[in-house]
Amino acid sequence: MPNTRYHAAGFTLIELLVVISIIVLLIAILLPALSAARGSARAIQCASIIRQFGIANQGYANDSDDFFVPVFTGVSGPGRVFWFGNDLYRDHLGLPEVASAGRFFDDRFACPEAGFARQVASDDGNPGLAAIDVTYGFNATDLPELSGYPSPTFNFANTPFRGLQRGRPVRPSQTAQMVDSLNETVTRFQSNGWVQSEQATIDASGVANPSGGVAQVAYRHPQESAQVQFFDGHVERLPRVEVVGTGGQNTDLWVIDN
């Protein structure tokens, strides 16, 4: 019988280079889409988290004669308690009393994009926690008027403040109660200082001790947007241009008695 030899078919070098080129091209096309999908997923997770703060605030009001949790109580100093240290509010969030953790919340309560909050906690010896006061902030735009103190005599250092009643915001579905922020309180005058990232915004602020927070809205999400939780409890992710408004005058979003 004739000696028949079979040769295994193989790829030539050119064919391999073509295949590799196609794979590289596909990866280049898909990576931005995958990154955008991950960003959108993290934004959805953040919306769910900030919504829980709104639900807890409604529960707080149910137990407090229709008063929401105060932005803060007490004058400046050791006796001042911000919203995140209010024991009843923490109870509605399922957190221990303030003496146990203070500003540091379980990591699951922080926006997935709030890397600075996790860094602050880790630097303070609290890995697995996050500094909530540099994650979300309450709308404090109207504190002078709403506190009952005229603007010339109001300041954060010497003014105690009581929470708003449910009926006080005249447009609860349009007015911000809590937003993505680098400080526990934020106003419409602090809605346009974001610079590309958390760290860049902190560096630009010139604050000597940034671990205590920088009063700016944090546009952490795709297309430079921030999560906004409204007084009626719903949450929207709004682009910077809508949060700031024309000439920084989005009073519909920020001014409670407008």
Side-chain angles (χ1 to χ4, degrees), residues 144-161:
E145 291 76 18
L146 299 177
S147 66
Y149 291 79
S151 295
T153 63
F154 177 92
N155 65 64
F156 278 92
N158 63 19
T159 305
F161 181 67

Side-chain angles (χ1 to χ4, degrees), residues 86-106:
N86 184 293
D87 281 339
L88 178 58
Y89 187 50
R90 294 173 69 92
D91 184 58
H92 280 283
L93 286 166
L95 289 165
E97 292 188 356
V98 69
S100 305
R103 66 188 292 220
F104 298 117
F105 280 34
D106 189 289

Side-chain angles (χ1 to χ4, degrees), residues 7 63 86 158 167 196:
H7 297 280
D63 292 340
N86 184 293
N158 63 19
Q196 296 182 331

Side-chain angles (χ1 to χ4, degrees), residues 45-176:
Q45 185 180 352
C46 182
S48 176
I49 293 168
I50 198 172
R51 185 177 292 109
Q52 294 306 309
F53 283 92
I55 292 170
N57 214 346
Q58 295 293 338
Y60 180 99
N62 290 339
D63 292 340
S64 304
D65 298 324
D66 279 342
F67 280 92
F68 290 119
V69 63
V71 177
F72 63 79
T73 56
V75 298
S76 183
R80 171 161 287 182
V81 177
F82 282 93
W83 55 268
F84 55 84
N86 184 293
D87 281 339
L88 178 58
Y89 187 50
R90 294 173 69 92
D91 184 58
H92 280 283
L93 286 166
L95 289 165
E97 292 188 356
V98 69
S100 305
R103 66 188 292 220
F104 298 117
F105 280 34
D106 189 289
D107 178 79
R108 63 193 171 89
F109 284 96
C111 175
E113 301 286 14
F116 180 62
R118 293 171 173 85
Q119 166 110 32
V120 169
S122 180
D123 289 348
D124 198 66
N126 293 284
L129 302 182
I132 206 66
D133 55 336
V134 293
T135 303
Y136 301 119
F138 269 72
N139 176 11
T141 298
D142 287 334
L143 279 187
E145 291 76 18
L146 299 177
S147 66
Y149 291 79
S151 295
T153 63
F154 177 92
N155 65 64
F156 278 92
N158 63 19
T159 305
F161 181 67
R162 191 179 188 190
L164 300 173
Q165 276 192 301
R166 273 198 176 111
R168 186 66 185 268
V170 295
R171 297 167 293 99
S173 65
Q174 301 176 50
T175 306

Side-chain angles (χ1 to χ4, degrees), residues 5 12 34 47 53 62-63 84 104 106 112 125 156 167 185 193 202 220 226 232 238 243 249:
R5 296 182 179 179
T12 66
L34 290 172
F53 283 92
N62 290 339
D63 292 340
F84 55 84
F104 298 117
D106 189 289
F156 278 92
T185 63
I202 291 160
R220 301 181 173 109
D232 70 344
L238 299 180
V243 175
Q249 296 296 316

